[in-house]
């Protein structure tokens, strides 16, 4: 009687099945019995084989071998014995044999016994000694790896079994094993057979199988408290009593294979009745070691923070965290908790770190393959090295840090991966192709998501008791609601969920309407005022597919609880109770019906078709297509492609794969998408569009599976497998969006328009196709040729369907090509919008879908975003390579223009767009319009401002009229009050609501100092603000964002001149507009909220023109040159335009929506929080705008110049864009004008530290301005610091206007001073630059000149300078 403990995927079960056949065939006088247990964890779970061999005609024993009955016990995974995961010797009889596969066998003989005592569970050691079990070890893993068969230990362990058991003669057994190897692996080639034969020969040598003399002291082995604490370390991390009880009483025994011993009473005590499950229990299961023994290591210097590695991780073990510097420094092992400055203006002041859970990682390599960088930002390392360095402790620390996913747009690829996955650490195979899609769903919609899951792989790794990978947000406590149904009825099951929720939500809305109507009718809101306000808002937005309804309910929840518990409002209490009973329907829930292809294509197709057939069914379907019944052994389904050799189609499937996407597109009201992990941006876009679509959606996703037998590394090649599938056309990417029809656009968008490789290259990667070639070469050739034709035909048909010919009779008549290179989808969206508006273009294509030759002789418009450190997005990289490699010039008539997108606060702003423009010009193409600069950091309108300016010229350059834009205006929710006037107190209450809604505090001015000479035309003012009593704590390098007010007198004069119907005293009631749900005067709105005296944009005039009835006046208003004239000649404001075009009279509700809200102006704080914790100082230049008619102050400057001590301003702290240095880092600061402000904070911080005994490294300030006498800001203070702290502080100044005919700038000083090279090169210091946009370029040239004098060549100097910006050692803040 024999028992074998194996590891899913190591070949143990297959080997034991073969052993049973070999023994049964060889010994005709013996009866053979074999029984196998499999973990639900799929590959990498445990396997348990029970085998009997008897000299009898029949065996009547039970399948499972009982305790202490086994003659032979083998443990092929040493972690089972190390961590006491299983009692592997429970079956061993006295005097039996125990075989262990362990790395310890490769240690020197004198170290083995000690290593066994330190690593094996004391209970195992004790049993070995007490039962006098014969103990043998070998290192099968190292031997298999040496022969190129990493992880395949089955033959080695089988040889050990035959040698130790003696069930048949050993020599005969080896010959039979070799024969079996030849038969089993011949289809994989002679090389594989030869390697297995050689491996078997090596395994047979006696020195490989080591006998261990069991010492008698092992009888006294016991579990020390230290080791007990280590074994229970995962339980120590549980901070919830209910979860801890469940894990200790239910999950732990089950995980130790002792679930049958749990009494029913414990299930009742843990509230397990009714199918309830504790969420997130999979995090307490660990996979140490994983089958590869490797985990990824992050190289932060190569990382561009794209998060693509995170998106593909099947088990959610690699995650990005947005942290503060203090949090990074506070990690258990801060030297390994590396972090870098977070990229993106929305993450200013934060750091980015990528952390890996070494005890959950399966070592699948998917993250490494997905990394787009060169060199890769990830590499694999030994998991034991990571654990020894405290990698698991750093991970445990990281997941306790605050969740900051709300700082970014979660509907982008990068932003989605900052959202905590609510499906984690599942029991799926290593490298599983299904789980990344489910994980991403939970990141996008998890807190408002309901899942109906068809039985299959996704329910096994997604819901096997007691492990539950679905979890909740630690911030909100919400997560997906999940349930499983059968293949046959899962679509109906999910549809039933949707129908019941729809009914309950309609009931909730009816009850809410009744309550609002009742309370409003009697005009006696009382305690219900705030609640009714929120309920009214919910009624307006309840069908919006976002998290807003959920967040609104969070505000309502405490009000409901208070009202229901109080004794007031008894007349409404019954209605309140009915509403509260349906409170789970307040969020806009997202219903998903999910499953595999066996369900969707085959058994459950009838129900699925019924659900998708009706437009009113607002449900979403996700099908993870493995192209076979992967959960039950890989049987053929209607999703199986032609030419595949799988179970039930070993001779090759002769029928084409069912085109399920095309079937559902015939309904025309279904949203349909085909997606794949190789294009993650398209995946995110498709999932978001599916969720937001008001009607049924169907998303089918390609999911590589272990059953496909991916070569050469199995699912370690999962991501490359996806890439090959898409590039060969085997798996097309497309989206069919019915909403585009209403907009007059083609609803079908083909996202993979080009075959980049032959489909044969894909077929050669999978055993299911190669097997057919080995066994039936002629049939394989015919079927694979047919597939090649089918793929090309399908691509041609989809290309025709995707082509939007507009009024063209053929696509060739479209004379303008629109191409894009997009990383996150922004550039793609703008390109498609432009192509729709351009009458000469058929549509927009990715640059990757076009050959360079196709633009020869044509006009091409490019939209290019910037990826990483200035690199071209991946779908434009190959096109740019072709351009740079091309020798032949373009034909005459080749023209182009480029619209670049980026962020000017970074060194590589628009580098990809500029590289493209340069390459086109080198090949003789004509640039018909200058490079467009879409700047995401632009203070006013972001990318839109640069795009609008570029569009003003590109359409005339194409000899096309600029398309007429139809502006959309959503009026502000308001009505006029019956009250004639508000008291000042009441108006101030409404004003406070507004400022509270934008997160500001009212702060008193305690100091006003003019830093420049009195009467000088540039007024620099230092303002001191008292912040001690306010919630305005700040960090070094932060800014203070001040919200300006318009002058009340100017507002009153404007309103009285503009309107005879209302003025500044008119009272209106706002319904949550501007964060106010109260009465407020019109004057207060225009003074505090609206930027009425700001610089107008064209969008405002377009909106205003919709209210102008005179066609001639409207034509003038829509002429862009008219607005430029008004701004340049008259310094026009919104108020000026309204007075100029008074005949265009929008209603007040529309006007309030048309005028932009006042934006805060951020000013760098010049003080250090260490030295000045209760106050901040700002250095501000009062801006003056000049036009032909004279001078005008900006809105903020007009308010600031009038401030005096005792006045108050509304403000909030804004994280700085530059990360401050540590005291031991050398620093160079370069600033001009008020750009000295952030540098003053750094200097004052070092002065404070130095004065208090802290050793600080050198800091040099390069300050520049126009006149020394008038504009040497902080002169006395800086000169005093230079005198008193000259050991570390150096001051350099440059004043450009002091010497007539000779202008000296700070960059000139940078080029010649030694401290630049000493601090930046020799001391590896940091560079901080602050000033206007004219500063960075000449400064970089000066840095290169300085570095050249250090003995570097020009190319080396340029590289050294660029590496400073690339690795974050150089930071800039420009305006």
């Amino acid at each position: 009687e024999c028992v074998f403990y194996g590891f899913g995927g190591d070949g143990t079960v297959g080997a034991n099945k073969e052993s049973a056949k070999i023994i049964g065939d060889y010994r005709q006088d013996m009866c053979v019995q074999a029984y196998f247990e499999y973990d639900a964890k799929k590959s990498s779970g445990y396997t348990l084989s029970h085998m009997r061999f008897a000299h009898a005609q029949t065996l009547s024993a039970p399948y499972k071998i009982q305790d202490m009955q086994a003659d032979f016990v083998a443990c092929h995974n040493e972690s089972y014995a190390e961590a006491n995961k299983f009692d592997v010797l429970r079956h061993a009889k006295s005097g039996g044999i125990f075989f262990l596969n362990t790395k310890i066998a490769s240690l020197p003989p004198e170290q083995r016994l000690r290593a066994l005592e330190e690593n094996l569970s004391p209970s195992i050691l004790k049993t070995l000694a007490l039962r006098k079990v014969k103990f043998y070890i070998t290192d099968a893993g190292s031997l298999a790896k040496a022969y190129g068969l990493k992880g395949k230990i089955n033959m080695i362990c089988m040889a050990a079994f035959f040698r130790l058991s003696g069930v048949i003669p050993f020599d005969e057994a080896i010959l039979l094993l070799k024969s079996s190897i030849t038969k089993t692996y011949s289809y994989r080639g002679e090389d594989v057979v030869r390697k297995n034969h050689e491996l078997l020969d090596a395994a047979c040598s006696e020195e490989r199988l080591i006998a261990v003399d069991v010492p008698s002291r092992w009888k006294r082995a016991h579990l020390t408290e230290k080791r007990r604490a280590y074994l229970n370390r995962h339980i120590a991390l549980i901070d919830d009593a209910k979860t801890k009880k469940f894990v200790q009483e239910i999950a732990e025994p089950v995980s130790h294979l002792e679930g049958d011993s749990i009494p029913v009473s414990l299930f009742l005590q843990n509230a397990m009745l009714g199918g309830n499950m504790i969420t997130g229990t999979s995090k307490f299961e660990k996979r140490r070691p994983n089958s590869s023994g490797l985990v990824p290591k992050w190289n932060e210097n190569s990382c561009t923070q794209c998060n693509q590695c995170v998106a593909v991780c099947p088990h959610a073990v690699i995650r990005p965290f947005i942290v503060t510097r203090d949090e990074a420094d506070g990690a258990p092992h801060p030297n390994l908790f590396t972090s870098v400055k977070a990229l993106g203006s929305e993450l200013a002041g934060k750091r980015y770190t990528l952390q890996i859970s070494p005890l959950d990682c399966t070592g699948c390599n998917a993250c490494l393959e997905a990394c787009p960088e060169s060199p890769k930002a990830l590499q694999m390392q030994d998991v034991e090295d990571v654990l020894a360095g405290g990698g698991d402790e750093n991970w445990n620390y990281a997941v306790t840090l605050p969740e900051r996913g709300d700082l970014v747009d979660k509907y982008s690829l990068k932003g989605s991966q900052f959202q905590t996955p609510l499906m984690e650490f599942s029991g799926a195979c290593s490298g599983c192709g299904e789980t990344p899609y489910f994980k991403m769903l939970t990141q996008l919609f998890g807190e408002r998501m309901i899942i109906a899951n068809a039985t299959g792989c996704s329910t096994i790794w997604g819901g096997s008791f007691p492990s539950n990978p679905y979890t909740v947000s630690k911030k909100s406590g919400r997560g997906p609601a999940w349930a499983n149904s059968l293949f046959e009825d899962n679509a109906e099951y999910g549809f039933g969920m949707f129908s019941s929720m729809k009914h309950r939500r309609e009931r909730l809305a009816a009850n809410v309407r009744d309550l609002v109507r009742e309370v409003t009718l009697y005009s006696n809101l009382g305690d219900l005022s705030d609640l009714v306000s929120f309920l009214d808002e919910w009624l307006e937005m309840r069908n919006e597919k976002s998290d807003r309804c959920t967040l609104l309910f969070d505000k309502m929840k405490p009000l409901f609880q208070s009202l229901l518990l109080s004794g007031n409002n008894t007349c409404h209490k019954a209605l309140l109770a009915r509403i509260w009973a349906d409170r789970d329907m307040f969020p806009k829930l997202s219903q998903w019906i999910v499953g595999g292809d066996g369900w969707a294509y085959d058994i459950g197709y009838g129900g699925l078709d019924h659900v998708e057939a009706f437009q009113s069914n607002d449900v979403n379907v996700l099908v993870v297509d493995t192209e076979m019944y992967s959960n039950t052994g890989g049987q053929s389904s209607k999703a199986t492609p032609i030419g595949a050799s799988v179970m039930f189609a070993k001779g090759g499937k002769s029928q084409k794969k069912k085109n399920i996407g095309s079937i559902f597109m015939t309904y025309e009201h279904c949203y349909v998408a085909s997606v794949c992990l190789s294009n993650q941006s398209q995946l995110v876009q498709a999932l978001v569009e599916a969720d937001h679509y008001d009607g049924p959606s169907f998303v089918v996703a390609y999911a590589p599976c272990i059953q496909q037998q991916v070569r050469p590394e199995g699912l370690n090649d999962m991501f490359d497998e996806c890439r090959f599938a898409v590039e060969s056309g085997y798996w097309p990417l497309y989206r069919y969006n019915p909403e585009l029809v209403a907009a007059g656009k083609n609803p079908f968008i083909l996202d993979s328009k080009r075959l980049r490789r032959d489909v044969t290259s894909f077929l050669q990667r999978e055993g299911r196709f190669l097997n057919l070639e080995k066994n039936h070469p002629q049939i394989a050739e015919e079927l694979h040729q047919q597939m090649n034709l089918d793929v090309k035909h399908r691509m041609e048909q989809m290309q025709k369907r995707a082509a939007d010919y507009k009024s063209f009779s053929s696509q060739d008549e479209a004379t303008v090509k629109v191409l894009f290179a997009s990383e996150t989808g922004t550039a793609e969206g703008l390109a498609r919008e432009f192509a729709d508006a351009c009458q000469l273009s058929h549509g927009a294509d990715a640059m990757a879908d076009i050959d360079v030759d196709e633009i020869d002789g044509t006009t091409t418009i490019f939209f290019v975003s910037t990826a990483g450190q200035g690199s071209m997005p991946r779908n434009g990289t190959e096109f740019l390579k072709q351009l740079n490699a091309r020798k032949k010039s373009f034909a005459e008539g080749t023209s182009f223009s480029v619209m670049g997108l980026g962020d000017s606060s970074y060194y590589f702003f628009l580098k990809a767009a500029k590289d493209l423009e340069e390459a086109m010009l080198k090949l003789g193409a004509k640039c018909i319009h200058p490079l467009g600069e879409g700047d995401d950091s632009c203070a006013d309108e972001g990318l839109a401002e640069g795009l609008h300016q570029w569009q003003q010229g590109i359409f005339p350059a194409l000899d096309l009229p600029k398309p007429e834009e139809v502006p959309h205006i959503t009026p502000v929710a308001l009505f006029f009050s019956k009250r004639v006037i508000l008291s000042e107190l009441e108006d101030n209450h409404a004003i406070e609501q507004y400022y509270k809604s934008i997160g500001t505090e009212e702060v008193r001015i305690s100091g006003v100092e003019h830093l420049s000479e009195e009467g000088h035309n540039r007024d620099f003012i230092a303002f001191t603000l008292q912040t001690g009593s306010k919630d305005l704590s700040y960090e070094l390098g932060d800014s203070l964002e001040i919200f300006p007010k318009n002058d009340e007198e100017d507002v009153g004069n404007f309103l009285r001149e503009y309107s005879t119907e209302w003025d500044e005293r008119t009272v209106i009631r706002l319904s949550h507009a501007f964060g106010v749900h109260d009465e407020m005067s019109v004057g207060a709105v225009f003074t505090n909220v609206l930027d009425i005296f700001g610089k107008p944009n064209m969008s405002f005039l377009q909106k205003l023109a919709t209210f102008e009835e005179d066609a001639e006046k409207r034509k003038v208003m829509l002429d862009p040159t008219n607005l430029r004239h008004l701004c340049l000649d008259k310094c026009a404001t919104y108020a000026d335009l309204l007075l100029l075009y008074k005949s265009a009279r929008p209603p007040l509700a529309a006007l309030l929506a048309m005028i932009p809200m006042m934006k805060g102006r951020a000013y760098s704080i010049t003080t250090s929080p260490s030295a000045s914790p209760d106050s901040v100082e700002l250095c501000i230049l009062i801006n003056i705008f000049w036009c032909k008619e004279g001078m005008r102050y900006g809105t903020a400057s007009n308010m600031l110049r009038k401030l005096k001590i005792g006045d108050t301003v509304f403000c909030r702290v804004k994280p700085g864009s530059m990360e401050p240095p540590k005291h031991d880092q050398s620093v160079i600061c370069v600033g001009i004008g008020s750009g000295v402000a952030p540098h003053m904070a750094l200097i004052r911080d070092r002065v404070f530290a130095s004065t208090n005994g802290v050793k600080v490294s050198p800091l040099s300030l390069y300050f520049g301005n126009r006149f020394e006498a008038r504009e040497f800001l902080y002169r006395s203070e800086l000169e005093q610091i230079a005198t008193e702290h000259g050991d570390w502080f150096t001051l350099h100044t440059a004043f450009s206007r002091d010497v007539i005919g000779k202008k000296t700038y700070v960059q000139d000083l940078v080029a010649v001073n030694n401290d630049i090279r000493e601090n930046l090169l020799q001391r590896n210091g940091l560079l901080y630059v602050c000033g206007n946009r004219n500063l960075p370029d000449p400064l970089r040239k000066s840095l290169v000149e300085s570095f050249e004098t250090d003995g570097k060549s020009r190319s080396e100097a340029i590289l050294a300078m660029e590496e400073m910006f690339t690795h974050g050692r150089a930071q800039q803040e420009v305006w």
Side-chain angles (χ1 to χ4, degrees), residues 812-827:
D812 294 336
E813 293 182 17
T815 57
V816 173
K817 290 187 181 296
V818 180
L819 303 181
F820 61 83
S822 181
E823 195 70 34
T824 63
T826 302

Side-chain angles (χ1 to χ4, degrees), residues 296-306 309 318 321 328 334-343 351-356 371 373-379 381 868-869 1219 1324 1363-1369:
K297 179 183 179 181
W298 181 46
N299 177 7
E300 68 277 10
N301 291 327
S302 297
C303 181
T304 57
Q305 303 177 24
C306 67
C309 60
I318 180 169
F321 294 89
N335 58 317
L336 298 177
F337 199 91
T338 51
S339 62
V340 294
K341 178 185 175 185
L343 301 179
R351 297 186 68 79
Y352 175 98
T353 182
L354 201 64
Q355 293 295 317
I356 294 97
C371 178
E373 308 308 326
S374 181
K376 296 283 189 181
L378 294 165
Q379 60 247 5
Q381 64 175 340
Q869 303 294 351
E1219 183 181 32
N1324 207 34
E1363 283 184 344
M1364 289 185 60
F1365 285 93
T1366 302
H1367 297 155
R1369 286 179 48 224

Side-chain angles (χ1 to χ4, degrees), residues 595-614:
D597 52 277
W599 158 68
Y601 286 71
D602 284 5
I603 298 175
Y605 175 73
L608 180 59
D609 177 70
H610 181 78
V611 170
E612 296 287 329
F614 295 94

Side-chain angles (χ1 to χ4, degrees), residues 1130-1346:
K1130 301 178 180 295
C1131 292
T1133 66
Y1134 290 104
D1136 294 329
L1137 295 184
L1138 288 169
L1139 294 174
L1140 181 62
Y1141 302 112
K1142 286 181 70 173
S1143 55
R1145 185 61 60 86
L1148 180 61
L1151 181 61
L1152 297 187
M1154 291 162 54
I1155 303 170
M1157 290 176 64
M1158 198 79 77
K1159 292 184 178 179
R1161 273 65 164 179
Y1163 302 100
S1164 295
I1165 297 174
T1166 66
T1167 45
S1168 159
S1170 301
S1172 305
D1174 297 327
S1175 64
V1176 300
E1177 182 186 295
L1178 310 175
C1179 176
I1180 299 175
L1181 171 62
I1182 302 302
N1183 282 324
I1184 299 172
F1185 300 99
W1186 291 90
C1187 57
K1188 292 180 180 179
E1189 293 192 359
M1191 177 199 83
R1192 173 170 273 170
Y1193 289 104
T1195 302
S1197 292
N1198 191 43
M1199 180 192 79
L1200 292 168
R1201 71 187 181 92
K1202 300 175 184 178
L1203 289 176
K1204 57 187 182 299
I1205 294 175
D1207 289 342
T1208 61
V1209 294
F1210 284 92
C1211 55
R1212 64 189 180 193
V1213 172
K1214 181 179 180 182
S1217 61
M1218 297 194 296
E1219 183 181 32
K1222 296 180 179 179
H1223 290 141
D1224 61 355
Q1225 292 177 299
S1226 298
V1227 175
I1228 296 292
C1229 293
V1230 182
I1232 57 175
S1234 59
V1236 75
H1239 305 323
M1240 287 301 300
L1242 302 185
I1243 294 167
R1244 287 168 168 171
D1245 185 67
R1246 292 208 170 194
V1247 168
F1248 180 82
S1250 179
T1251 303
N1252 285 277
V1254 177
K1255 182 176 175 58
V1256 298
S1257 293
L1259 185 152
S1260 295
L1261 171 65
Y1262 285 77
F1263 171 67
N1265 223 335
R1266 298 192 304 176
F1267 302 100
E1268 181 177 5
R1270 303 172 185 173
E1271 300 178 347
F1272 192 164
L1273 310 182
Y1274 298 103
R1275 179 171 190 163
S1276 59
E1277 182 180 356
L1278 287 171
E1279 289 179 342
Q1280 182 180 353
I1281 294 171
T1283 301
E1284 297 177 359
H1285 299 276
D1287 56 327
W1288 59 265
F1289 178 66
T1290 306
L1291 175 64
H1292 303 277
T1293 57
F1295 298 97
S1296 60
R1297 305 290 175 87
D1298 277 345
V1299 180
I1300 299 174
K1302 182 183 178 182
K1303 294 184 176 181
T1304 302
Y1305 299 100
V1306 287
Q1307 58 263 31
D1308 300 323
L1309 302 182
V1310 165
V1312 297
N1313 280 293
N1314 291 333
D1315 59 353
I1316 292 290
R1317 296 182 294 280
E1318 291 172 359
N1319 287 329
L1320 297 184
L1321 294 182
Q1322 297 169 20
R1323 296 192 180 104
N1324 207 34
L1326 307 178
L1327 171 67
Y1328 293 87
V1329 182
C1330 189
N1332 63 42
R1333 291 172 188 256
N1334 298 322
L1335 176 61
D1337 283 342
L1339 177 63
R1340 290 168 194 148
K1341 293 176 183 176
S1342 295
L1343 285 172
V1344 171
E1345 291 179 28
S1346 175

Side-chain angles (χ1 to χ4, degrees), residues 266-309:
L266 287 183
F267 288 94
L268 297 175
Q269 292 172 23
N270 281 273
M272 303 304 296
L273 292 179
N276 293 324
M277 263 291 292
I278 299 288
T279 58
T281 53
S282 61
K283 68 169 68 72
F284 306 117
E285 298 180 318
K286 300 299 175 184
R287 295 195 179 200
R288 180 196 176 191
N290 65 59
S291 56
S292 70
L294 301 173
V295 295
K297 179 183 179 181
W298 181 46
N299 177 7
E300 68 277 10
N301 291 327
S302 297
C303 181
T304 57
Q305 303 177 24
C306 67
N307 285 348
Q308 294 184 44
C309 60

Side-chain angles (χ1 to χ4, degrees), residues 776-838:
H776 307 285
Q778 186 174 351
I779 295 175
E781 183 179 2
E782 293 174 0
L783 294 179
H784 293 170
Q785 283 182 357
Q786 184 61 48
M787 176 183 282
N788 202 27
L789 293 174
D790 291 343
V791 166
K792 290 180 179 178
H793 174 72
R794 180 178 62 191
M795 181 60 72
E796 290 171 0
Q797 294 302 308
M798 287 192 296
Q799 286 172 340
K800 290 179 181 178
R801 185 171 191 170
D804 185 359
Y805 294 144
K806 296 182 180 174
S807 58
F808 309 130
S809 59
S810 72
Q811 190 170 340
D812 294 336
E813 293 182 17
T815 57
V816 173
K817 290 187 181 296
V818 180
L819 303 181
F820 61 83
S822 181
E823 195 70 34
T824 63
T826 302
E828 177 184 354
L830 293 176
R832 294 195 187 282
E833 289 177 10
F834 178 84
D836 290 335
C838 179

Side-chain angles (χ1 to χ4, degrees), residues 8-48:
D10 68 358
T12 295
V13 171
N16 286 331
K17 289 180 179 178
E18 194 62 30
S19 295
K21 293 177 184 177
I22 288 173
I23 295 169
D25 290 341
Y26 181 82
R27 294 288 301 271
Q28 298 293 326
D29 60 328
M30 293 187 73
C31 190
V32 178
Q33 182 191 74
Y35 173 73
F36 304 97
E37 295 180 39
Y38 301 90
D39 189 359
K41 294 293 182 299
K42 315 298 293 180
S43 177
S44 301
Y46 83 89
T47 63
L48 189 54

